[in-house]
Amino acid sequence: MQDPIQEITHQLSRRDFLKGSVLGLGAAALGSMLNTGRATAMEGGRDLLPHFVPKAKRIIYLFQSGAPSQLELFDYKPKLKQMFGQELPPSVRGNQRLTGMSSGQRSFPLAFGKFEFKQHGKSRAWVSDLMPHHTQIVDEVTFIKSMYTEAINHDPAVTFVQTGSQQAGRPSFGSWVSYGLGSDNENLPTFCVLLSKGRGGDQPLYAKLWGMDSCLLSTRG
Amino acid sequence: MKKFITRLSALVIFVVFSITMFNGLGGCGRKSSLSDSLQATLPEKVDFNFHIKPILSDRCFACHGPDNNKREANLRLDTEEGAFAALDSLGKEHAIVAGDLDESVAYQRIITSDPELMMPPPKSNLKLSGHEVALIAKWIEQGAQWKEHWSFIPPANPEMPKVQHATWVRNPVDQFVLSQLEQKGLQPNKEADKATLLRRVSFDLTGLPPSVNDVNAFLNDQSPNAYSTAVDRLLASPHYGERMAAEWMDVARYADSHGYQDDGMRNSWPWREWVIKAYNQNLPYNQFMTWQLAGDMLPNPTKEQLLATSFNRNHPQTQEGGVVDEEYRIEYVADRANTFGKAFIGLTVECARCHDHKYDPISQKDYYSLFAFFNNNLESGIIPYNGEASPSVILPSPEAESKLKFIREKLTPIEQQLNPENYRQSFESWLANAEKTPEKFAKTDAGLIGWFHFEEPYSKEMVKPKDKNKKKPKDKNKKVAPRLKADEFKNAAGTKLAARTSGDPDRKPVVVPGKTGNGRKFIGDAGMDFTQELNFERNQPFSISIWVNPLKAGEEGTLFAKSNGEFEGYRGYRCLLNKDGSLSVSLSYVWPANCIDLQTMEKLTPNQWYHIALTYDGSSKANGVKIFLNGKEAARKVYSDNLHKSLLHGEKKTNWSKMPFMLGKDFRGSIKDVVMDELMAYDRQLSSIEVKEINGQQGAILQALKTPKTQRTPQQTDELFEYYRLNYDKTYAENLAQATKLRGEENQLITDQPEVMVMKERKEVRPTFILNRGAYDAPTTKVVPNTPAKLVTFDKKLPKNRLGLAKWLTDPKNPLASRVVVNRFWAMCFGNGLVNTVDDFGNQGALPTNPALLDYLAVHFMKSGWDAKAFMKMLVTSATYRQSSIPTKKALELDPDNSLLSRGPSFRLSAEMIRDNALAASGLLSKKVGGPSVYPYQPAGIWEALATRNKTKYEQGHGEDLYRRSMYTVWKRSSPPPSMMNFDAPDRYLCTVRRQKTATPLQSLVLMNDPQYVEAARVLAERMMKEGGATPEARIDFAYKALTSRPPRPEELKLMKQLYSEELADFRKQPNQAAELLSTGEYKRNPKLNASEVAACTIIASTVMNFDEFVMKR
């Protein structure tokens, strides 16, 4: 058998890292856990080894519910502009299910945001006029345009984005991060969730997303 | 591979080595294949269930288990047949050959060192310990005797084991426990001291601590019956029911809100109250289960039996507008099946939703067969914001009940008078008269409030849409594009009722040839809105007619509706065109149960004009609704005939959405490729001959009147009679007016009465299919209701419904139900079940630590008539229960986890008990039993921060509501009470039989800082001074007795006195701090008591609340 470290390094591509973000973060984070000397080999299990020298010490994760659509921010779709008003072709729609919100609709015209896009920085990233400050830092940012949820409703989709599974009850982002990163403070929760104040009644978050059933209570938010 | 080997204990290497050596020698005379030292650790007789099956299940079943689709090498080790079957077609190779290790291929694969052959495969990360390998070897050598899974074997009443120390035995429980202890060379522990015992049993039976007086009385009672008297007192207390119900709330996943994103509140507390009552009245447990599973299917069910079925509705339900109905309905049904599995038969059936169970003999087919029992509820996947989700039972207050009775008593005779036969005679005289001047009597325009010909042209004029947000400042940059002007339509009836196109202006209905003149073709996403004149209540007779020409087959949607849409359960009336061409008509409060729901048998054919007329007599009965197609009453199926609340609004005249009458569209959907023409609306019931009259057969009345009596067909006479009755009979009109008034009063009253969601079967059984990967939209094979094939057979004589399921469950032959219940009760008293996994009696679950005792209890419980109180009494009066929980050194060594019950139970109290303890000690606790949930203190803004809509504000209660027992604290799923969550309360999304047990610093923070506890401490402080005494000692003594049911020990007293004097000195110096501390909570403080002393006592009380014995049961 090969050196397991090498094997992991080879196996884990960036895509894998992002796809299994929870595991990815866990593995990334475990490194710093090892560095602090707090790690103990998991008995009976395969050692979890980081695939690069870990740098992350803490992770801030913003969940911007109700933000403008990516089509108006950074996901430039010139074809949409061209086909504005035309019916969504079956070749694109495929077997996509409709939500109760749109299943009553009798036509599905294509629409395009009204904001201008330009390319910025060395990466030539497309960013709309809505984010003038972002245009200055595009080279520091990773845009991910391949994320989607299978769920078509808010609850399971938000649950998926927060936990990696659309079924409620799985450990959340914060749980995994603290499971991986560990915590210098053994007495207080290892991560915390800050909720935005402001206009009430538009917060699609629920306590179940960080007070999970199937995770150690010690990694509860 | 290197790593793998080093991981193995030296013992394993030794075993492997010795066995392989032996193989090398030719493998004869296998008797001593195991080393002596290893032999010594093995049981004399290896038992398949206790020693072998757990290993196979955990390490082998994933690939060689019940899952048909994932089975490797066609070998299954979960059945006897599979394990001993030939592995090859020649029948030469066998996985297991009894008594022959050499020939047992499975064994050889386990011990091989070849990674290609090794089982379990190295890449599975599963491995067997040396001890486990040795067990398997010995089992095969001893003849590889196979046994059915322990929990599937019906419990036999075991023989009483022999014991030496018989005087210790108080009841049969002790006999079984003692026998086991003696076998291990252990002695039972001494009895717990009286105060500890009383505290223990008080919490276990009522969830509350004993009062200081209770403790004193018990300590002073020297009679031998003292304890038994105390137990009887506790069992008779109404708080017994609360304690038992509190545990059931987790299992039943009770909550006061629906969960999911919109998380609105539900009215379920009457069910909780019923559970308390059922326990207090000691409803036999088999009935307790039966009522909850199928109370609605019992003969002539009582309201309580209906209410009990709310158990099956406690699962989360979605109100999110965008969901696919069926997707969530399937979730609810699955939840019911899963909960049934966990709560009643102790099996994780949910694993088999997507694939055959990996460990237990539950195939995917078994799962959906079980699922089928729960699949016939008359419900919808998306539930309303306003009104309880269907089906429900209305529970009027006693006051309303008597008013309703009063109205009914007046209404019933009037409704009887409306019987047509009462008007035959007067009809004859009217007819004689009408025949003379028929023209005078052939009119149909009475009550016509709307008549639209739709002759208006399609306007191409463009207008700027009106700004709907007039209050907001206008965004100057925002350019509003002009859109097509709405078309307005003339009402030929000359009333106020008006109509105009609405929806997407670009898609407003277009002008095409109609039935007469112009008609309007609907092209989707738009329709017509009408003004309020067509908002009929259910006591109001009305009629609607329209000409419809569907242009395409398969088109579906709303033809016309006055319905408030999904968010109000489609409240109102609507007429839909179905995909198959049939029509659905419903009048609903909350569809699909609290409504009249009809579907025509006849189907509309495309490209034909149909005259559709709906008439309604105001009776709230399906009989009172008629659908006419081209003047002929259409035959229809009745899906629901159960309309009992308003067509216009919810309780207290509330609405979430209020929609007008619409054509071609509804709350969210629309219809297309349909032409409509000539809408007519009446605020009265049209007779059938009038329907003919307006559908193009003008002159029908005149013709019938003119036909000589002898030549009239019976149908003509009947039609004239109906026409007469509805239009000309004054007595009928008076009676109808009277009935309408009384029905209106009844409607207003009953609409305000609370409802609780319950179960109700659909008339037509909904077929159930195996769902591929558990997905709602992937049905495969059809199944019928049945229980898992490997469990006790579902008797053919039983009905294939929930009632049959309940009978199957509670049949004495069923080995699971009673075992599962007694084990849960046991865990409530002893901290752990005899089967530690109280929620899993399957292959991955724990084995019973004392199987004979478990069987005894299960059989005894059934024989006792499922008497829960007697059972609890037996447990808590046993010598086993009465032992001190402080272990001896030997007991700790030989029985570290107390699975042998060598000592009494000791574990942390539940979240509810801890809070109730503080409230009880302070004297604040309200003893009120039952009732709606309450809103005690909670950190500010928690609900607000987590709510999307519906109930977004936490409105804290006052007075008694702040001090009710914790089981009454409102449970909002998306934002459960944090102080309870910190003490391991589950979130109530799913059935939870076993709470996690944690100890975290957050718990102390709650006890020290939560206003509930600080307030309790300061109120207890006042009691310490008033009831305890003047000295610090007396006060501290009182605090200990109130909070921990015992006096302080000398060293504790010393420390507390020191704390008291320090705090007192501080508070005297800083009276502001004392005042601040004493202002916590809303309970009025006693101004006569010295503030500094109360504050110092508060600190003492609070400190004791953070004391181990406050949170632990010992």
Side-chain angles (χ1 to χ4, degrees):
Chain A
M1 195 187 276
Q2 284 184 335
D3 176 4
I5 299 182
Q6 264 185 22
E7 197 178 88
I8 292 173
T9 316
H10 288 147
Q11 280 171 359
L12 278 180
S13 65
R14 188 180 66 95
R15 176 173 289 271
D16 288 329
F17 173 78
L18 294 169
K19 204 163 123 192
S21 61
V22 282
L23 175 65
L25 283 169
L30 194 86
S32 63
M33 209 165 112
L34 289 168
N35 286 345
T36 63
R38 294 179 66 248
T40 48
M42 290 163 69
E43 209 176 326
R46 180 178 58 134
D47 286 351
L48 275 173
L49 293 165
H51 63 289
F52 56 83
V53 181
K55 287 189 236 168
K57 285 186 180 146
R58 46 189 72 87
I59 291 170
I60 297 171
Y61 172 61
L62 301 177
F63 176 66
Q64 311 279 69
S65 129
S69 137
Q70 72 276 16
L71 300 176
E72 292 174 331
L73 299 178
F74 55 81
D75 201 3
Y76 182 49
K77 299 274 190 215
K79 191 82 180 168
L80 270 181
K81 200 170 192 174
Q82 207 183 317
M83 294 178 70
F84 186 88
Q86 293 178 36
E87 279 289 302
L88 175 67
S91 61
V92 175
R93 163 143 179 224
N95 294 322
Q96 179 57 48
R97 300 190 285 159
L98 296 174
T99 80
M101 291 286 178
S102 53
S103 59
Q105 246 171 264
R106 292 316 167 111
S107 65
F108 297 91
L110 297 172
F112 181 73
K114 15 177 140 172
F115 305 98
E116 289 302 316
F117 276 80
K118 286 188 199 74
Q119 281 179 298
H120 301 275
K122 283 184 201 156
S123 61
R124 308 309 294 146
W126 288 96
V127 176
S128 91
D129 294 350
L130 276 183
M131 301 202 295
H133 303 297
H134 250 79
T135 59
Q136 310 301 310
I137 56 163
V138 287
D139 292 339
E140 312 294 322
V141 177
T142 305
F143 294 98
I144 301 169
K145 303 180 187 178
S146 53
M147 299 282 286
Y148 66 96
T149 68
E150 279 174 4
I152 55 169
N153 301 116
H154 293 96
D155 185 297
V158 170
T159 306
F160 175 81
V161 172
Q162 301 291 341
T163 70
S165 164
Q166 53 174 298
Q167 256 95 36
R170 302 281 171 83
S172 73
F173 237 103
S175 299
W176 282 110
V177 170
S178 49
Y179 175 69
L181 279 178
S183 168
D184 288 338
N185 182 348
E186 294 210 329
N187 291 335
L188 290 170
T190 49
F191 73 98
C192 58
V193 180
L194 303 175
L195 297 163
S196 52
K197 248 179 156 177
R199 197 157 71 89
D202 268 324
Q203 189 71 269
L205 293 171
Y206 341 101
K208 72 177 181 196
L209 298 173
W210 51 90
M212 72 309 300
D213 282 336
S214 59
C215 188
L216 296 171
L217 281 175
S218 57
T219 57
R220 188 167 78 174
Chain B
M1 195 51 233
K2 216 165 67 190
K3 267 214 147 105
F4 179 63
I5 295 273
T6 52
R7 281 291 177 84
L8 291 171
S9 67
L11 192 65
V12 182
I13 294 173
F14 176 65
V15 176
V16 173
F17 185 61
S18 66
I19 290 167
T20 41
M21 276 239 314
F22 225 104
N23 286 344
L25 288 174
C28 51
R30 307 211 50 82
K31 278 281 173 271
S32 53
S33 61
L34 300 168
S35 76
D36 289 346
S37 60
L38 193 55
Q39 276 285 7
T41 68
L42 297 179
E44 205 171 297
K45 170 81 186 159
V46 179
D47 181 273
F48 177 71
N49 271 334
F50 281 78
H51 305 119
I52 304 303
K53 177 89 104 27
I55 305 171
L56 299 182
S57 174
D58 201 43
R59 259 44 74 72
C60 313
F61 281 7
C63 303
H64 302 296
D67 187 348
N68 265 322
N69 299 315
K70 287 285 153 69
R71 196 169 302 130
E72 301 285 342
N74 200 24
L75 168 64
R76 65 185 298 179
L77 294 169
D78 63 310
T79 65
E80 182 170 14
E81 201 190 356
F84 295 103
L87 291 171
D88 55 341
S89 53
L90 296 174
K92 278 185 179 171
E93 296 224 301
H94 295 80
I96 297 167
V97 180
D100 197 336
L101 289 174
D102 264 358
E103 291 299 317
S104 295
V105 177
Y107 180 72
Q108 296 302 325
R109 295 283 291 268
I110 289 171
I111 59 167
T112 183
S113 57
D114 181 348
E116 294 289 310
L117 295 174
M118 187 186 292
M119 282 292 152
K123 69 166 193 273
S124 71
N125 277 323
L126 297 167
K127 48 194 118 173
L128 300 177
S129 73
H131 182 71
E132 287 166 342
V133 176
L135 275 172
I136 294 170
K138 186 162 179 180
W139 173 67
I140 294 175
E141 285 183 332
Q142 287 183 335
Q145 197 199 347
W146 197 273
K147 275 188 191 168
E148 180 66 277
H149 181 60
W150 72 269
S151 69
F152 299 167
I153 305 170
N157 209 359
E159 261 179 55
M160 286 292 153
K162 289 210 174 67
V163 292
Q164 291 158 19
H165 188 48
T167 50
W168 181 74
V169 174
R170 285 179 185 270
N171 67 33
V173 169
D174 303 324
Q175 190 122 352
F176 289 98
V177 171
L178 183 60
S179 152
Q180 223 182 25
L181 284 175
E182 284 175 347
Q183 279 172 31
K184 302 275 169 171
L186 277 165
Q187 297 276 317
N189 213 351
K190 64 179 186 345
E191 187 161 307
D193 68 76
K194 280 183 92 174
T196 306
L197 191 55
L198 183 67
R199 183 175 173 82
R200 181 190 295 168
V201 76
S202 297
F203 273 116
D204 283 343
L205 295 184
T206 65
L208 293 172
S211 70
V212 177
N213 286 341
D214 290 338
V215 176
N216 289 338
F218 183 60
L219 292 179
N220 292 330
D221 186 352
Q222 298 302 326
S223 75
N225 295 332
Y227 181 69
S228 159
T229 312
V231 167
D232 288 338
R233 170 179 62 81
L234 293 166
L235 286 170
S237 153
H239 303 308
Y240 163 79
E242 290 180 320
R243 148 66 171 150
M244 301 301 280
E247 187 256 4
W248 190 242
M249 293 302 115
D250 279 8
V251 181
R253 73 273 191 239
Y254 174 87
D256 295 306
S257 76
H258 292 303
Y260 291 111
Q261 169 170 286
D262 293 345
D263 203 21
M265 305 309 279
R266 55 169 64 159
N267 189 56
S268 288
W269 65 264
W271 174 80
R272 177 177 60 195
E273 193 171 275
W274 171 80
V275 174
I276 297 171
K277 197 169 150 195
Y279 272 119
N280 275 336
Q281 294 181 343
N282 206 20
L283 182 69
Y285 207 86
N286 52 348
Q287 290 182 43
F288 181 71
M289 297 192 286
T290 301
W291 289 22
Q292 294 186 71
L293 283 172
D296 58 316
M297 304 177 93
L298 292 168
N300 304 316
T302 61
K303 276 217 163 154
E304 286 201 321
Q305 286 168 335
L306 292 176
L307 178 58
T309 64
S310 193
F311 170 81
N312 290 303
R313 303 295 304 282
N314 279 331
H315 51 79
Q317 292 185 114
T318 189
Q319 299 171 298
E320 194 178 321
V323 300
V324 177
D325 226 26
E326 182 66 358
E327 182 173 16
Y328 282 84
R329 197 191 62 77
I330 291 290
E331 288 303 315
Y332 311 157
V333 179
D335 183 294
R336 282 171 208 143
N338 303 347
T339 299
F340 174 84
K342 257 191 181 175
F344 296 119
I345 57 172
L347 290 173
T348 53
V349 296
E350 66 266 32
C351 300
R353 178 172 172 186
C354 307
H355 49 72
D356 292 346
H357 201 292
K358 293 279 177 202
Y359 304 104
D360 293 327
I362 303 162
S363 66
Q364 209 185 356
K365 185 183 171 202
D366 285 336
Y367 179 81
Y368 285 98
S369 305
L370 184 63
F371 175 103
F373 285 109
F374 300 98
N375 195 25
N376 201 37
N377 195 30
L378 186 56
E379 66 187 327
S380 142
I382 176 173
I383 64 157
Y385 281 166
N386 182 308
E388 292 299 318
S390 269
S392 70
V393 59
I394 304 173
L395 298 172
S397 67
E399 194 201 347
E401 187 85 79
S402 66
K403 280 189 190 163
L404 285 168
K405 201 172 152 240
F406 179 74
I407 296 173
R408 259 291 131 198
E409 276 166 6
K410 285 210 286 183
L411 184 54
T412 308
I414 295 170
E415 284 186 333
Q416 280 162 1
Q417 282 177 39
L418 289 174
N419 184 342
E421 290 315 308
N422 294 334
Y423 306 92
R424 274 268 179 227
Q425 268 193 326
S426 42
F427 166 60
E428 296 300 337
S429 55
W430 172 82
L431 187 59
N433 193 28
E435 282 166 347
K436 289 177 201 157
T437 50
E439 284 79 7
K440 264 175 74 181
F441 291 93
K443 284 186 285 189
T444 59
D445 51 358
L448 179 66
I449 53 172
W451 190 0
F452 294 86
H453 302 303
F454 304 121
E455 296 306 323
E456 291 78 358
Y458 180 95
S459 166
K460 286 183 180 166
E461 197 184 327
M462 304 294 273
V463 290
K464 277 196 178 177
K466 278 183 191 161
D467 192 353
K468 282 179 189 162
N469 291 319
K470 279 179 186 161
K471 282 175 194 166
K472 281 188 185 169
K474 272 198 178 150
D475 185 354
K476 281 176 192 163
N477 296 327
K478 202 174 157 192
K479 284 177 197 157
V480 188
R483 313 201 72 173
L484 276 169
K485 190 184 167 189
D487 295 342
E488 292 182 4
F489 303 99
K490 198 171 159 254
N491 178 1
T495 60
K496 264 165 63 185
L497 179 66
R500 59 186 294 162
T501 57
S502 63
D504 185 344
D506 297 335
R507 299 179 64 82
K508 67 181 181 183
V510 297
V511 174
V512 294
K515 178 67 188 171
T516 51
N518 284 345
R520 286 278 172 161
K521 180 186 166 188
F522 293 77
I523 57 172
D525 299 325
M528 294 174 203
D529 279 9
F530 290 69
T531 49
Q532 305 298 313
E533 286 77 9
L534 301 178
N535 300 358
F536 300 114
E537 184 51 284
R538 70 181 172 103
N539 61 328
Q540 168 69 54
F542 68 88
S543 305
I544 308 275
S545 82
I546 192 155
W547 282 98
V548 168
N549 181 4
L551 299 178
K552 268 189 194 163
E555 182 52 45
E556 59 179 333
T558 297
L559 293 172
F560 62 85
K562 155 65 192 98
S563 159
N564 292 341
E566 297 76 327
F567 294 133
E568 287 195 15
Y570 303 99
R571 191 165 301 146
Y573 59 91
R574 50 186 187 146
C575 175
L576 314 177
L577 174 63
N578 298 318
K579 228 182 179 112
D580 65 357
S582 65
L583 297 176
S584 284
V585 167
S586 56
L587 278 69
S588 315
Y589 174 69
V590 171
W591 185 84
N594 194 338
C595 66
I596 297 167
D597 194 6
L598 314 167
Q599 187 184 2
T600 63
M601 313 292 272
E602 193 176 331
K603 289 162 184 163
L604 273 53
T605 315
N607 293 307
Q608 278 186 39
W609 279 102
Y610 289 89
H611 184 256
I612 299 169
L614 162 67
T615 70
Y616 172 59
D617 68 354
S619 64
S620 299
K621 294 277 184 301
N623 274 339
V625 183
K626 287 178 184 166
I627 307 162
F628 293 89
L629 276 175
N630 293 334
K632 218 178 121 211
E633 190 180 343
R636 75 279 178 91
K637 268 190 255 180
V638 178
Y639 287 101
S640 223
D641 185 6
N642 187 46
L643 176 63
H644 288 295
K645 284 196 174 193
S646 172
L647 292 182
L648 296 175
H649 53 78
E651 281 177 35
K652 300 189 181 88
K653 299 220 168 168
T654 51
N655 279 106
W656 205 90
S657 50
K658 212 171 175 177
M659 309 301 287
F661 181 88
M662 292 188 257
L663 269 193
K665 91 188 213 313
D666 55 26
F667 186 58
R668 248 180 356 211
S670 59
I671 200 163
K672 75 175 191 181
D673 295 322
V674 170
V675 187
M676 294 198 232
D677 200 3
E678 298 294 320
L679 174 80
M680 295 179 89
Y682 291 80
D683 62 0
R684 67 180 176 93
Q685 180 194 356
L686 286 181
S687 60
S688 51
I689 201 162
E690 289 173 287
V691 171
K692 281 185 183 166
E693 195 72 36
I694 60 168
N695 102 65
Q697 304 171 42
Q698 277 102 334
I701 303 171
L702 197 60
Q703 197 195 337
L705 280 174
K706 280 182 174 170
T707 308
K709 196 171 186 176
T710 47
Q711 289 175 28
R712 251 179 233 139
T713 63
Q715 193 197 349
Q716 273 177 320
T717 311
D718 283 350
E719 284 177 351
L720 281 176
F721 174 45
E722 190 200 17
Y723 168 70
Y724 156 75
R725 186 169 47 87
L726 294 177
N727 287 289
Y728 294 94
D729 192 297
K730 290 211 169 80
T731 319
Y732 181 85
E734 276 163 27
N735 284 332
L736 182 63
Q738 195 58 26
T740 304
K741 186 171 164 279
L742 288 167
R743 284 166 175 166
E745 285 169 21
E746 181 188 42
N747 180 51
Q748 285 312 321
L749 192 56
I750 203 163
T751 301
D752 280 349
Q753 299 310 307
E755 290 173 81
V756 177
M757 297 183 290
V758 294
M759 296 294 277
K760 179 181 177 134
E761 292 288 284
R762 277 162 47 110
K763 281 189 186 153
E764 278 188 29
V765 175
R766 181 188 273 123
T768 301
F769 298 89
I770 295 174
L771 301 178
N772 191 26
R773 298 181 64 235
Y776 73 97
D777 55 357
T780 58
T781 318
K782 192 172 169 181
V783 294
V784 293
N786 205 349
T787 49
K790 267 286 177 160
L791 304 183
V792 181
T793 314
F794 189 84
D795 196 322
K796 275 185 186 142
K797 286 177 209 146
L798 293 177
K800 286 194 174 294
N801 57 29
R802 282 181 282 116
L803 187 59
L805 182 66
K807 286 189 171 148
W808 171 83
L809 177 72
T810 54
D811 189 303
K813 285 200 296 278
N814 191 323
L816 287 166
S818 181
R819 273 199 185 113
V820 168
V821 181
V822 298
N823 191 54
R824 270 188 26 243
F825 286 166
W826 183 277
M828 287 169 79
C829 297
F830 289 90
N832 288 316
L834 290 166
V835 178
N836 196 11
T837 50
V838 283
D839 54 351
D840 189 1
F841 278 46
N843 285 325
Q844 287 297 89
L847 292 157
T849 50
N850 194 330
L853 174 56
L854 181 67
D855 277 7
Y856 170 79
L857 294 175
V859 172
H860 174 80
F861 185 54
M862 288 191 281
K863 279 191 179 161
S864 75
W866 302 78
D867 183 337
K869 269 196 189 185
F871 186 81
M872 292 302 280
K873 181 164 180 175
M874 177 168 79
L875 295 193
V876 300
T877 54
S878 68
T880 308
Y881 178 81
R882 292 169 67 163
Q883 292 176 96
S884 161
S885 64
I886 300 164
T888 60
K889 211 176 161 192
K890 192 176 176 193
L892 257 192
E893 206 174 285
L894 294 177
D895 185 21
D897 55 2
N898 201 23
S899 57
L900 297 171
L901 300 157
S902 61
R903 55 189 175 274
S906 167
F907 51 89
R908 212 207 57 224
L909 295 170
S910 71
E912 291 88 339
M913 288 176 184
I914 290 170
R915 181 174 167 276
D916 293 353
N917 191 9
L919 290 174
S922 67
L924 283 169
L925 184 75
S926 158
K927 298 277 173 83
K928 193 175 144 189
V929 176
S933 294
V934 293
Y935 294 72
Y937 305 120
Q938 183 168 276
I942 286 200
W943 278 26
E944 289 81 344
L946 289 173
T948 47
R949 51 182 60 84
N950 299 325
K951 186 87 177 172
T952 54
K953 279 210 164 61
Y954 187 83
E955 284 155 33
Q956 189 213 293
H958 303 284
E960 191 185 15
D961 278 6
L962 296 170
Y963 315 115
R964 297 288 309 282
R965 292 193 67 176
S966 307
M967 71 176 301
Y968 301 116
T969 296
V970 65
W971 203 277
K972 192 177 187 213
R973 283 193 164 109
S974 62
S975 192
S979 64
M980 302 250 278
M981 298 305 281
N982 272 331
F983 285 98
D984 306 329
D987 60 17
R988 297 271 176 81
Y989 272 87
L990 297 168
C991 164
T992 308
V993 189
R994 196 162 45 147
R995 288 188 180 183
Q996 292 201 45
K997 288 174 189 165
T998 66
T1000 77
L1002 292 177
Q1003 293 166 353
S1004 289
L1005 292 174
V1006 169
L1007 296 175
M1008 281 193 282
N1009 301 310
D1010 187 314
Q1012 194 85 64
Y1013 290 90
V1014 178
E1015 182 188 41
R1018 76 167 175 81
V1019 178
L1020 174 58
E1022 292 181 356
R1023 288 189 71 197
M1024 287 157 68
M1025 290 168 67
K1026 284 203 312 200
E1027 295 172 50
T1031 63
E1033 287 87 348
R1035 290 170 179 180
I1036 293 163
D1037 185 71
F1038 188 87
Y1040 265 84
K1041 280 181 178 161
L1043 291 166
T1044 68
S1045 311
R1046 67 160 176 85
R1049 298 184 189 101
E1051 64 272 23
E1052 290 165 345
L1053 187 62
K1054 201 179 140 201
L1055 276 169
M1056 285 295 170
K1057 267 172 75 179
Q1058 193 190 336
L1059 177 66
Y1060 180 81
S1061 57
E1062 284 171 14
E1063 292 292 331
L1064 187 61
D1066 275 359
F1067 283 123
R1068 282 193 172 136
K1069 265 186 247 163
Q1070 292 164 304
N1072 287 349
Q1073 285 200 352
E1076 199 188 318
L1077 179 65
L1078 301 183
S1079 68
T1080 308
E1082 296 187 1
Y1083 191 78
K1084 245 185 123 194
R1085 59 170 293 238
N1086 185 343
K1088 287 180 193 154
L1089 298 174
N1090 176 289
S1092 305
E1093 285 180 49
V1094 180
C1097 283
T1098 303
I1099 298 295
I1100 296 296
S1102 171
T1103 307
V1104 180
M1105 283 183 194
N1106 274 280
F1107 187 59
D1108 166 83
E1109 270 170 78
F1110 176 77
V1111 293
M1112 295 290 288
K1113 187 182 88 171
R1114 293 261 184 242

